[in-house]
């Protein structure tokens, strides 16, 4: 695949505080890349730098091999969809969709054809004479996406476009965005702090923390093989259990409880943590005794919170444990446990 977007050693600081630090990313033509991370990690700043609303301290932004860093935003052929829709309230839906085309001085017949084609694809063709104030949140977001589509951009940027919508509408529009991308094939960067959005939309996910890339991979790779404890606990609901352990010979212990026997050579005598997904833990007649603290019902499953040697562990189950139990016997899956360095949090696999 041809590299469509290349970000090279991008740096950005505000008032002496680094927001993006030596940020580099390659995006292939037609990919849907999700930028995921906690609030304040630099996600939105990255998009603003790409589209030209902010100026980097250093680094380059290349689109189709051209350095666009010195181009004005209107000359970068980028379409950006914002969280707050950014529609003109005094203009009709038609006028909002047509505005960018009119600024390019396109013929009225071409504008009319593009607006009608895009509005039909998005199911807003019956709203063209209405003003934004009369629309629902979902309709306004469709108009914002439609305005971006009419530009035939080389690159789509989405900045948390669904965060203001209710859960049902968010799911519906997420499916529509996925279908739209399959149909158009335009290279897309999508910023979110919602891991469900990230896992369901992205060809690849880029996880950022404090302005630095933590991991790049498919949703499956990031979920199954997180590169550090930050990623392990940021992806997954409930998150991966990260537990302090000690090594006694070939045995991995929590207190006096043997969790497993080490058979791999990369585990030395350094301080260790282990990671295990709540869904991989099993209950049984045999297992390590853990004190039951609470149980949450989450519709299709139950989450039990237990304690072992002062450490909290969550367990995902299909059935609720007996209400009169105060101890659960937990089996740790030997093949699903991951090892992390206790000092830097990096994976040891």
């Amino acid at each position: 695949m041809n590299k469509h977007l290349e970000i090279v050693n991008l740096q950005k600081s505000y008032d002496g505080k680094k927001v993006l630090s030596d940020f580099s990313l390659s995006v292939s033509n037609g990919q849907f890349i999700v930028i995921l991370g906690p609030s304040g990690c630099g996600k939105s700043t990255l998009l603003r730098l790409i589209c030209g609303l902010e100026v980097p301290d250093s680094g380059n932004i290349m689109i189709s091999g051209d350095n666009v860093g010195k181009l004005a935003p209107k000359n970068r052929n980028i379409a950006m969809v914002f969280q707050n829709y950014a529609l003109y309230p005094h203009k009709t839906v038609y006028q909002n969709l047509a505005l960018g085309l009119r600024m390019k001085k396109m013929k009225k017949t071409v504008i009319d054809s593009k607006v009608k084609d895009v509005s039909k694809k998005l199911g807003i063709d019956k709203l063209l004479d209405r003003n934004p104030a009369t629309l629902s949140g979902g309709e306004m977001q469709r108009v914002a996406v439609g305005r971006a589509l009419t530009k035939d951009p080389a690159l789509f940027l989405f900045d948390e476009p669904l965060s203001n919508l209710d859960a049902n509408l968010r799911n519906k529009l997420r499916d529509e965005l996925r279908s739209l991308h399959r149909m158009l094939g335009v290279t897309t960067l999508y910023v979110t702090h919602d891991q469900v959005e990230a896992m369901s939309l992205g060809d690849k996910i880029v996880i950022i923390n404090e302005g630095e890339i933590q991991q790049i991979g498919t949703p499956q790779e990031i979920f199954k093989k997180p590169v550090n404890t930050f990623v392990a606990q940021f992806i997954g609901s409930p998150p991966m259990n990260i537990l302090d352990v000690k090594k006694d010979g070939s045995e991995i212990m929590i207190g006096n409880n043997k969790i497993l026997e080490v058979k791999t050579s990369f585990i030395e005598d350094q301080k260790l943590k282990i990671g295990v997904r709540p869904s991989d833990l099993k209950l049984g007649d045999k297992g390590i005794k853990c004190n039951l603290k609470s149980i949450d019902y989450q519709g299709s499953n139950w989450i039990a919170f237990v304690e072992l040697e002062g450490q909290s562990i969550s367990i995902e189950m299909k059935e609720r444990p007996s209400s009169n139990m105060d101890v659960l016997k937990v089996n740790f899956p030997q093949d699903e446990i991951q090892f992390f360095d206790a000092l830097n949090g990096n994976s040891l696999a």
Side-chain angles (χ1 to χ4, degrees):
M1 277 181 138
N2 295 327
K3 297 302 180 188
H4 185 69
L5 172 66
E6 288 270 359
I7 301 168
V8 184
N9 303 127
L10 211 60
Q11 304 263 9
K12 183 64 179 177
S13 298
Y14 296 105
D15 298 324
K17 181 183 178 182
K18 279 191 176 180
V19 178
L20 288 175
S21 179
D22 201 27
F23 190 99
S24 296
L25 177 67
S26 295
V27 180
S28 297
N29 189 37
Q31 276 191 313
F32 195 119
I33 302 296
V34 176
I35 311 293
L36 176 67
S39 297
C41 72
K43 306 184 300 295
S44 295
T45 298
L46 174 64
L47 293 196
R48 293 174 68 83
L49 291 170
I50 294 170
C51 73
L53 297 178
E54 299 277 357
V55 178
D57 299 332
S58 61
N60 294 312
I61 300 167
M62 317 285 289
I63 297 178
S64 297
D66 297 325
N67 192 336
V68 301
K70 293 184 179 180
L71 296 180
K74 65 185 178 69
N75 296 327
R76 297 191 183 194
N77 196 20
I78 293 172
M80 188 162 177
V81 179
F82 298 90
Q83 179 180 345
N84 62 357
Y85 316 134
L87 302 177
Y88 291 95
H90 59 287
K91 295 183 181 294
T92 65
V93 168
Y94 184 100
Q95 291 168 332
N96 269 281
L97 294 175
L99 184 62
L101 304 177
R102 285 176 175 163
M103 291 177 69
K104 290 184 176 180
K105 302 188 184 308
M106 288 187 174
K107 292 182 179 179
K108 189 175 185 304
T109 53
V110 175
I111 293 173
D112 193 60
S113 175
K114 277 183 172 290
V115 168
K116 288 180 177 176
D117 179 56
V118 166
S119 63
K120 190 170 183 180
K121 284 177 181 174
L122 292 170
I124 54 174
D125 48 317
K126 292 182 172 60
L127 308 176
L128 294 177
D129 294 328
R130 291 170 59 179
N131 286 338
T134 68
L135 305 179
S136 68
E139 289 168 339
M140 284 194 286
Q141 193 55 275
R142 284 190 182 94
V143 175
V145 172
R147 185 176 57 189
L149 277 176
T150 59
K151 295 174 65 176
D152 292 326
L155 180 66
F156 267 130
L157 304 178
F158 288 89
D159 191 5
E160 307 211 39
L162 309 182
S163 59
N164 290 337
L165 307 177
D166 64 64
N168 287 337
L169 187 53
R170 197 159 58 237
N171 292 340
K172 180 173 171 43
L173 285 184
R174 191 167 64 222
D175 291 340
E176 290 178 3
L177 284 175
R178 191 164 47 224
S179 298
L180 199 60
H181 178 260
R182 280 197 296 265
M183 179 172 61
L184 299 173
V186 179
T187 308
T188 300
L189 259 64
Y190 185 104
V191 155
T192 183
H193 64 274
D194 185 329
Q195 60 166 296
V196 174
E197 276 185 22
M199 298 289 276
S200 60
L201 280 173
D203 298 325
K204 285 192 175 180
I205 299 174
V206 180
I207 297 186
I208 304 178
N209 188 37
E210 297 181 347
E212 296 184 353
I213 293 176
Q214 303 296 305
Q215 185 170 359
I216 301 175
T218 66
Q220 295 85 356
E221 288 168 347
I222 286 176
F223 184 82
K224 295 296 288 184
K225 289 292 181 184
V227 298
N228 56 36
T229 53
F230 172 81
V231 174
Q233 293 195 293
F234 195 75
I235 289 288
S237 180
M240 179 180 280
N241 296 294
I242 303 294
L243 303 170
D244 292 309
V245 297
K246 62 182 180 181
K247 185 170 178 289
D248 185 2
S250 62
E251 296 179 346
I252 300 297
M253 311 284 292
I254 296 180
N256 295 320
N257 303 282
K258 176 184 172 182
I259 303 300
L260 78 159
E261 189 136 352
V262 178
K263 298 178 182 178
T264 49
S265 59
F266 64 83
I267 303 299
E268 303 296 341
D269 290 332
Q270 70 258 56
K271 292 184 178 179
L272 297 174
K273 291 180 182 287
I274 63 167
V276 58
R277 293 283 177 197
S279 56
D280 290 328
L281 292 169
K282 306 299 179 188
L283 303 182
D285 295 332
K286 296 180 179 180
I288 296 171
K289 291 182 179 180
C290 299
N291 297 320
L292 178 60
K293 294 300 182 181
S294 64
I295 300 174
D296 286 352
Y297 178 56
Q298 299 195 348
S300 61
N301 55 21
W302 299 83
I303 307 296
F305 297 92
V306 302
E307 189 176 86
L308 177 62
E309 298 291 337
Q311 299 191 69
S312 181
I313 303 171
S314 56
I315 308 166
E316 188 174 342
M317 305 164 296
K318 290 298 181 185
E319 296 182 1
R320 191 189 196 284
S322 173
S323 57
N324 61 0
M325 297 178 71
D326 55 9
V327 172
L328 298 181
K329 292 181 179 179
V330 181
N331 294 293
F332 286 76
Q334 307 297 295
D335 296 333
E336 301 295 339
I337 289 178
Q338 300 186 52
F339 294 90
F340 300 94
D341 188 305
L343 298 178
N344 58 29
N346 291 336
S347 172
L348 296 174

